[in-house]
């Protein structure tokens, strides 16, 4: 059962246990925040020492300020990784340590659960295929009668609407009368996805205890769904239960590399963050179970005053709903288990940038919500960190730009940088940036099963260091994209709400150049500047410059279907679902000849152009 004060029904009968749990979480959070603040202070002091070699002027102060703004996410990731690695080495089941809900199997499900598939101009065939597999598994479990399916559409494109209606008709023909399958399309979409879910809560919420929220690309194993419902049923003060979502196998080179890196960093990071967040965890908006009554009562989002981009409907609704649920006295938990909950990652760098910019605008809207009364302190911290996640990008771009200019200046009084301090801070920052991935890598290499899950130790190590190089190169691409986008927000430019293109597809050079020319221009200008000054310290900023300069070639190569297929054949950046596919993944249409080479999507079709858009 839950051991946190906001999530156990036995608060009155077990006051000593509740107080003890309060004390444990307070102690953990104090240790964590002290460690983070001390590390930030040390890094800033080291930067000041680095820049003070030739005196410390206004430019040095600005460099230090920008550097400080980039640190919070990096340092938090580092300490999450340290804690996660320690938990993995000390405990056989570290997930049960940080989330005591995990592991208790459901006995009899008495709750009624709605499965909500929230879509807008998406590939209906993919949605129907995933729902069909989940319905089949739930029916085979014997608990199918405890679930109803809702396809909640905000679609506006006629071809998508027709496909949705036809797909729902097929589902009904296959599963009626065993399963109730409803289709509702709003003529308008106020509130976007949050409004879509609240519309369900208003219309049908009285009939259900829980709601499982899915995106168009979501797929969940029936046993995972049943386990989550059982956990929620046994813990009346649990408001949101978020599964740990991992990527489905893919033949897109970009998706393969990206989701391998996410998988590598996810284990240590999620365990470490759950250790100190406790019952004030995050909610990511999909593959999560909601308790209907408190969600309907306390998590309704109002339109923010003013015009977009910071006014209007909230785009990144999930974390706001999580802090509102926690304010109402209900726990928000993440199950830090990498099984049974999947999504599809963007197949190209261009699609990845486009998705990230929508999150960027949505997270910056949190500036309007920081003063919301009654929020749990951890919830308020999470909103601040969500804002800093993107504000750190322009700070990093400005830091790198100023550093390049500083390197090229003619020193008037000795060297501009102390090389010993400079290399020390470079090593410190790089170690912290990659700590989550290195921590998980170390734990996997120490485990025979861990090595086998990723195709063997050699393939795991090669993939890890290849992904680290890749993420180093695309980091400046993303930072520059965020910076330019936030600059546009100052002049009222807002993101267009459009569907994600999910299928593997070729990216033409000119299309990539139209999207990524600012990064290319920045990289070219910075490189020419450093070459012209013959600056010996250029190596300190060259990864940033090279990544920006190579943005277009990287985007085109990693979108090339033949390259992705070749990577799948040789098994590079392989994930556990490719090494030993669960039955649900096999059911997607994975050919027997490809199971040892990589995943071949059943619906990898060029026809997606008609619904994806740019």
């Amino acid at each position: 059962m839950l051991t946190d004060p906001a999530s156990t029904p036995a608060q009155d009968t077990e006051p000593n246990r509740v107080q003890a749990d309060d004390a444990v979480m307070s102690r953990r959070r104090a240790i964590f925040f002290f460690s983070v603040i001390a590390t930030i202070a040390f890094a800033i002091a080291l930067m000041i020492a680095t820049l003070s070699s030739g005196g410390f002027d206004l430019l040095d102060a600005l460099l230090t300020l920008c550097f400080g703004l980039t640190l919070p996410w990096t340092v938090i990731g580092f300490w999450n990784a340290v804690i996660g690695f320690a938990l993995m080495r000390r405990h056989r089941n570290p997930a049960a340590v940080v989330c005591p809900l995990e592991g208790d199997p459901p006995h009899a499900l008495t709750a009624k659960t709605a499965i909500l598939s929230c879509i807008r101009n998406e590939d209906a065939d993919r949605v129907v295929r995933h729902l069909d597999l989940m319905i089949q598994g739930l029916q085979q479990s014997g608990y199918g009668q405890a679930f109803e399916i809702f396809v909640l559409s905000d679609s506006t494109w006629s071809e998508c609407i027709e496909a949705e209606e036809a797909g729902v008709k097929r589902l009904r023909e296959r599963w009626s009368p065993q399963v109730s399958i409803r289709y509702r399309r709003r003529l308008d979409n106020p509130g976007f996805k949050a409004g879509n879910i609240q519309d369900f809560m208003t219309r049908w919420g009285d009939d259900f205890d829980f709601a499982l929220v899915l995106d168009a690309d979501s797929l969940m194993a029936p046993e995972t769904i049943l386990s989550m419902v059982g956990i929620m049923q046994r813990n009346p003060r649990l408001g949101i239960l978020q599964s740990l979502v991992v990527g489905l196998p893919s033949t897109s080179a970009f998706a393969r590399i990206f989701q391998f890196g996410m998988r590598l960093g996810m284990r240590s990071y999620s365990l470490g963050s759950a250790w100190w967040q406790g019952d004030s965890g995050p909610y990511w908006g999909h593959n999560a179970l909601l308790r209907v009554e408190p969600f309907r009562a306390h998590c309704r989002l109002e339109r923010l005053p003013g015009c977009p981009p910071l006014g209007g409907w909230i785009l990144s609704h999930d974390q706001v709903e999580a802090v509102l649920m926690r304010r109402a006295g209900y726990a928000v938990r993440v199950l830090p288990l990498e099984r049974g909950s999947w999504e599809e990652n963007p197949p190209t760098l261009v699609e990845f940038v486009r998705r990230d910019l929508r999150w960027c605008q949505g997270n910056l809207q949190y500036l309007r919500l920081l003063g919301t009364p009654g929020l749990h302190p951890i919830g308020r911290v999470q909103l601040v960190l969500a804002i800093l996640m993107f504000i750190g990008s322009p700070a990093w771009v400005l830091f790198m730009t100023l550093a390049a200019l500083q390197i090229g200046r003619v020193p008037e009084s000795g060297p501009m940088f102390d090389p010993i301090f400079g290399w020390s801070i470079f090593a410190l920052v790089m170690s912290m940036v990659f700590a989550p991935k290195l921590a998980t890598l170390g734990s996997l290499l120490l485990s025979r099963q861990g090595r086998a899950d990723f195709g063997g130790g050699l393939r795991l190590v090669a993939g890890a260091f290849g992904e680290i190089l890749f993420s180093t190169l695309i980091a400046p691409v993303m930072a520059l994209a965020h910076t330019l986008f936030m600059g546009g927000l100052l002049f009222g430019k807002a993101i267009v709400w459009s569907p994600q293109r999910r299928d593997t597809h070729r990216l033409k050079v000119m299309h990539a150049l139209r999207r990524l020319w600012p990064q290319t221009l920045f990289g070219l200008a910075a490189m020419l500047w450093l070459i012209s000054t013959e600056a010996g310290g250029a190596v300190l900023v060259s990864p940033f410059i090279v990544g920006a300069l190579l943005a277009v070639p990287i985007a085109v190569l990693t979108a090339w279907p033949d390259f992705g297929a070749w990577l799948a054949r040789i098994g590079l950046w392989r994930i556990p679902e490719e090494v030993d596919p669960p039955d649900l993944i096999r059911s997607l249409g994975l050919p027997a000849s490809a199971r040892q080479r990589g995943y071949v999507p059943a619906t990898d079709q060029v026809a997606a152009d008609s619904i994806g858009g740019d």
Side-chain angles (χ1 to χ4, degrees):
M1 67 182 292
L2 264 174
T3 58
D4 293 276
S7 53
T8 173
Q11 294 183 57
D12 295 330
T13 59
E14 298 183 11
N16 294 334
R17 175 70 175 274
V18 171
Q19 291 173 5
D21 293 334
D22 261 342
V24 168
M25 290 310 303
S26 296
R27 187 161 57 249
R28 287 182 182 181
R29 289 164 180 166
I31 292 171
F32 184 81
F33 283 110
F34 174 80
S35 301
V36 168
I37 292 170
T39 305
I40 290 174
F42 175 75
I44 290 175
L46 196 58
M47 176 58 72
I48 292 173
T50 302
L51 298 175
S52 297
S53 180
F56 194 84
D57 57 17
L58 183 60
L59 182 57
D60 295 321
L62 186 56
L63 276 166
T64 304
L65 175 62
C66 292
F67 176 71
L69 289 174
T70 69
L71 287 175
W73 262 102
T74 301
V75 175
I76 287 173
F78 168 74
W79 281 110
N80 281 344
V82 170
I83 295 168
F85 182 79
L87 290 169
M88 288 187 289
R89 301 316 306 161
R90 289 186 59 189
H91 301 282
R92 184 179 296 273
N93 186 4
V97 175
V98 298
C99 185
L101 303 172
E102 193 274 327
D104 193 11
H107 299 295
L109 298 186
T110 58
K112 191 71 174 177
T113 301
I115 297 179
L116 313 182
S117 180
C118 304
I119 56 177
R120 175 175 167 83
N121 299 329
E122 297 280 1
D123 182 354
D125 288 341
R126 172 186 278 103
V127 174
V128 169
R129 179 187 64 180
H130 289 185
L131 286 175
D132 182 65
L133 289 172
M134 288 185 276
I135 294 170
Q136 179 178 330
L138 291 172
Q139 286 295 107
Q140 291 173 349
S141 74
Y143 291 107
Q145 76 284 353
F147 298 87
E148 291 188 22
I149 308 298
F150 288 80
V151 179
L152 305 178
S153 171
D154 275 347
S155 295
T156 56
W157 298 348
S158 59
E159 63 269 31
C160 292
I161 296 170
E162 293 173 3
E164 291 166 5
E165 292 173 345
V168 171
K169 182 180 178 181
R170 293 197 303 273
L171 280 178
R172 285 172 174 164
E173 290 173 349
R174 174 165 163 78
W175 294 109
S176 179
Q178 298 101 308
V179 180
S180 172
I181 301 171
R182 306 193 198 190
Y183 173 75
R184 187 272 290 134
R185 185 176 69 86
R186 295 194 296 174
L187 297 179
D188 195 7
N189 68 323
F192 303 118
K193 183 179 174 183
N196 198 357
I197 294 172
Q198 281 294 346
D199 180 78
F200 160 82
M201 298 284 180
T202 301
R203 292 186 183 212
W204 296 289
D206 287 339
D207 299 329
F208 296 94
D209 300 290
F210 312 136
L212 181 71
V213 180
L214 304 175
D215 272 353
D217 60 341
S218 296
L219 179 67
M220 296 187 69
E223 56 269 24
T224 300
I225 297 173
L226 293 172
S227 176
M228 292 175 67
V229 172
I231 289 170
M232 186 78 86
Q233 184 176 279
R234 287 188 299 275
N235 296 276
R237 299 304 296 177
L238 180 59
I240 299 177
L241 184 60
Q242 174 69 64
S243 68
L244 201 60
V245 190
V246 299
L248 281 168
S250 175
T251 52
S252 158
F254 179 86
R256 288 183 67 83
I257 306 170
F258 173 76
Q259 65 195 26
F260 178 91
M262 286 291 292
R263 197 65 167 267
L264 205 59
M266 179 181 290
R267 186 171 302 179
S268 64
Y269 189 97
S270 61
L271 287 171
S273 61
W275 181 81
W276 63 269
Q277 288 177 348
D279 61 356
S280 299
Y283 164 48
W284 300 316
H286 60 98
N287 297 39
L289 194 63
L290 314 177
R291 188 175 296 276
V292 168
E293 189 279 325
F295 192 91
R296 179 173 56 178
H298 302 290
C299 299
R300 179 178 295 274
L301 302 184
E302 302 296 335
R303 185 183 178 95
L304 294 176
C307 297
L310 297 185
W313 295 110
I314 299 173
L315 294 179
S316 297
H317 59 92
D318 36 26
Q319 189 54 51
V320 182
E321 291 161 338
V323 299
L324 292 177
M325 181 68 82
R326 187 66 187 85
R327 183 179 68 171
Y330 289 82
V332 180
R333 289 275 190 178
V334 175
L335 280 175
L337 300 171
E338 301 170 51
R339 64 170 184 253
S341 180
W342 299 280
E343 65 176 348
E344 291 177 298
N345 289 306
T348 69
L349 178 57
V350 169
E351 285 297 308
F352 181 66
V353 170
R354 194 158 65 89
R355 186 186 72 171
D356 227 41
L357 295 185
R358 189 173 74 183
W359 291 350
C360 176
Q361 180 178 332
N363 284 21
L364 292 179
Q365 289 179 302
Y366 296 169
L367 289 165
R368 299 281 188 90
L369 302 170
L370 291 177
T372 302
L375 297 184
H376 190 279
I378 297 299
R380 211 177 296 274
V381 167
Q382 287 169 331
L383 293 181
V384 171
L385 291 177
I387 296 168
L388 288 177
M389 179 171 64
F390 289 102
I391 288 181
S393 288
W396 189 29
V397 171
L398 182 57
F399 174 82
M400 289 297 183
T401 303
L402 293 175
L405 294 174
Q406 185 78 311
I407 288 171
R409 290 171 60 190
V410 178
E412 299 176 357
S413 57
M416 306 294 290
F417 305 102
D418 185 300
I420 296 178
F421 285 127
W423 283 110
S424 298
I425 200 166
F426 180 78
L428 174 66
V429 171
M430 289 299 100
S431 298
M432 291 194 297
V433 165
F434 297 115
K437 296 173 183 178
L438 294 175
T440 303
L441 176 63
S443 181
L444 289 172
L445 289 174
L446 292 171
S447 164
R448 177 180 297 179
Q449 185 60 51
R451 297 191 300 271
D453 285 344
F454 287 84
L458 183 60
R459 189 176 275 114
L460 174 61
V461 171
F465 286 98
E467 191 281 331
I468 285 174
L469 174 61
F470 175 76
S471 60
T472 300
L473 291 176
I474 69 166
V477 177
M478 301 306 300
L480 286 162
H482 296 157
T483 302
L484 292 169
F485 180 72
M486 282 187 271
L489 292 179
L490 296 177
F491 298 96
K493 180 181 178 182
I495 198 75
V496 176
W497 186 274
S498 57
Q500 178 182 308
R501 187 172 179 182
R502 305 180 192 277
D503 290 312
T504 302
H505 59 276
R506 188 183 299 275
L507 185 64
K508 295 180 179 179
V509 174
M510 291 309 298
H511 178 71
L513 187 59
R514 282 197 302 271
R515 296 288 181 159
L516 302 172
W517 68 264
Q519 287 88 341
T520 304
L521 184 60
F522 178 92
L524 181 61
M527 186 67 76
L528 291 176
W529 161 254
L530 291 174
I531 291 174
S532 68
T533 60
E534 298 182 355
V539 67
L540 295 178
V541 292
S542 62
F544 187 91
I545 295 169
V546 171
L549 188 62
L550 296 180
V552 171
I554 290 172
V556 172
L557 177 63
T558 56
W560 187 21
D562 289 346
F563 180 55
W566 177 74
L567 291 175
R569 281 196 299 272
I570 67 173
L572 189 57
W573 292 303
R574 182 179 287 178
I575 57 176
E577 284 79 5
E578 292 176 275
V579 176
D580 184 19
D583 291 340
L584 197 63
I585 301 298
R586 295 176 192 269
S587 300
L588 291 174
L590 182 64
S593 60
R595 286 175 186 163
Q596 297 305 315
R597 298 199 311 263
Y599 173 69
V600 181
T603 57
D604 181 16
Q605 31 185 310
V606 179
D609 286 345
S610 64
I611 65 169
D614 289 326

